[in-house]
């Protein structure tokens, strides 16, 4: 269901005209750097129920470590990022590229779900390039779907065949140390058969409250 290599880390120059800590300007994609410098990669775990892959990347003075957990009996893949961040005015996003032909994306918000168009035609729709969510986003067609699950509220971007999750935003105002130092972020991705996000809701709660043995 993924059309090309995903979990692509991209750092964008982020200096909004106003409201540094809150706004992301519409032209934020014009200046960016793909985080490609791999320092280390290895298999941390290879058992009958789970495989864990480890990667460490460098971006300027910062490092990004992440673990990918792939389970035998779970439909989700978990990604845990441990970041040591020292850049300013940078928005870091990770991108996934599902092969879903959908008109709308669905986002979990407080007390409900909001629908947003994926194709941006009107000025109102073009202003929806970054959407806040509290737990998950879903895109689905008639018989299959793709979702991203987060443990805490995040901003996300959904374009045709592309889903970007904002991992950090190192603004200067009003807090010059915003999203700096050591950060730990956990998300999951999943695919499913069907035309409803009910399976995503179920997996979200399993992700949030895992069964401990």
């Amino acid at each position: 269901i993924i059309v090309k290599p995903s979990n692509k880390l991209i750092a964008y120059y982020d200096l909004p005209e106003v409201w540094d800590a809150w706004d992301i300007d519409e032209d934020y994609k014009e200046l960016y750097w793909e985080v490609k410098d791999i320092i280390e990669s290895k298999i941390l775990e290879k058992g009958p129920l789970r495989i864990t892959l480890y990667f460490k990347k460098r971006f300027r003075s910062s490092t990004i470590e992440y673990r990918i957990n792939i389970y035998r009996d779970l439909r989700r893949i978990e990604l845990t990022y441990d970041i040591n961040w020292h850049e300013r005015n940078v928005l870091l996003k990770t991108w996934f590229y599902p092969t879903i032909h959908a008109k709308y994306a669905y986002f979990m918000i407080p007390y409900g779900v909001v629908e947003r168009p994926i194709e941006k035609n009107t000025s109102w729709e073009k202003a929806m390039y970054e959407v806040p969510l509290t737990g998950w986003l879903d895109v689905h067609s008639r018989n299959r779907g793709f979702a991203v699950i987060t443990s805490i509220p995040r901003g996300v971007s959904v374009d045709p065949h592309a889903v970007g999750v904002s991992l950090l935003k190192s603004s200067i105002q009003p807090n010059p140390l915003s999203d700096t130092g050591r950060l730990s972020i956990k998300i999951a991705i999943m695919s499913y058969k069907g035309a409803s996000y009910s399976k995503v809701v179920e997996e979200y709660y399993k992700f949030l409250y895992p069964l401990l043995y």
Side-chain angles (χ1 to χ4, degrees):
I1 199 169
I2 297 293
V3 69
K4 62 181 179 178
S6 291
N7 192 34
K8 179 185 286 188
L9 293 166
I10 298 182
Y12 299 90
Y13 178 64
D14 178 56
L15 187 60
E17 293 185 8
V18 294
W19 312 117
D20 186 15
W22 294 275
D23 278 8
I24 298 174
D25 284 351
E26 188 175 1
D27 60 355
Y28 78 94
K29 291 183 180 179
E30 291 185 0
L31 181 57
Y32 66 89
W33 306 268
E34 184 178 347
V35 182
K36 293 182 176 180
D37 187 7
I38 299 177
I39 303 172
E40 184 180 4
S41 63
K42 58 185 177 182
I43 299 175
L44 285 182
E45 178 183 347
K46 188 175 182 181
L49 300 179
R50 183 176 73 176
I51 295 176
T52 300
L53 308 177
Y54 169 86
F55 297 88
K56 185 176 183 179
K57 293 185 175 182
R58 179 189 291 115
F59 177 71
R60 297 178 178 171
S61 300
S62 304
T63 57
I64 305 165
E65 300 175 73
Y66 58 90
R67 301 184 306 278
I68 303 174
N69 291 330
I70 304 171
Y71 297 90
R72 188 191 70 181
D73 298 325
L74 298 181
R75 58 167 60 100
R76 69 177 182 267
I77 297 174
E78 297 176 351
L79 300 99
T80 302
Y81 304 86
D82 293 307
I83 302 173
N84 191 2
W85 195 255
H86 301 285
E87 318 309 317
R88 313 312 307 143
N89 290 120
V90 173
L91 171 68
L92 181 66
K93 297 177 77 76
T94 182
W95 287 89
F96 303 92
Y97 302 97
T99 58
I100 301 295
H101 298 276
K103 291 184 178 180
Y104 300 97
Y106 302 87
F107 305 84
M108 176 183 172
I109 61 171
Y111 312 110
V113 176
V114 66
E115 177 187 276
R116 293 285 184 263
I118 295 176
E119 294 282 354
K120 311 296 193 296
N121 297 311
T122 68
S123 59
W124 284 47
E125 293 171 348
K126 292 176 181 178
M128 301 177 188
Y129 52 86
E130 183 86 359
V131 181
L133 58 79
T134 57
W136 53 263
L137 74 87
D138 168 79
V139 291
H140 62 260
S141 59
R142 291 184 177 181
N143 55 8
R144 60 180 184 158
F146 174 83
V148 175
I149 300 170
T150 70
S151 58
I152 62 173
R154 299 222 158 266
V156 292
S157 304
V158 180
D159 300 326
H161 308 300
V163 174
V165 181
S166 295
L167 298 179
L168 61 84
K169 188 181 192 299
S170 54
S171 57
I172 295 177
Q173 296 291 339
N175 179 7
L177 299 178
S178 175
D179 278 356
T180 189
R182 295 192 176 276
L183 308 168
S184 184
I185 301 160
K186 188 173 182 180
I187 68 172
I189 61 173
M190 62 172 287
S191 62
Y192 63 91
K193 293 181 179 179
S196 168
Y197 50 71
S198 60
K199 293 179 180 178
V200 181
V201 176
E202 177 184 352
E203 202 67 29
Y204 164 72
Y205 285 104
K206 290 179 179 179
F207 174 71
L208 215 59
Y209 307 106
L211 185 62
L212 302 178
Y213 295 93

